[in-house]
Amino acid sequence: VYQGVSMLMRLLKVDDVVDAFAVHGACGLWGLLALGFFGDPDEGLGGNGAFYGGDQMGIQIFAAFMILIWVAPLSIAIMLPLKLLGALRLSD
């Protein structure tokens, strides 16, 4: 997941020097959704994944959507003024 997203961001020329989105965003989303696929109810706290006949995936997708609703507006509220002020990048 990390390698694919990191390569895609370079291809799209997204300026993310430390691959923060690839590590925290994409891999975090995969971790959230993986429980919906692989959660084994026999393991206790492991969930109720789709591969075991469960319905955990809907809950995991809802959680990802709620995280997006929380993070996107807050990120825009912080990053847009910084961008307009020219404070996001240091000069060379």
Side-chain angles (χ1 to χ4, degrees), residues 3 16 21 28 32 35 43-45 47 55 64 66-67 73 75 77-80 91:
Q3 187 65 34
D16 186 2
F21 178 76
L32 187 77
L35 181 62
E43 295 294 324
L45 298 175
D55 58 353
M66 294 306 291
I67 291 168
S75 295
I78 292 169
M79 296 297 180
L80 186 61
S91 61

Side-chain angles (χ1 to χ4, degrees), residues 1 3 10 12-13 16-17 21-22 25 36 39 48 52-53 63 67 69 80-81 87-89:
V1 173
Q3 187 65 34
R10 285 200 178 115
L12 296 175
K13 298 186 189 303
D16 186 2
V17 178
F21 178 76
N48 193 13
Y52 294 95
I67 291 168
I69 287 175
L80 186 61
L88 282 180
R89 297 284 307 198

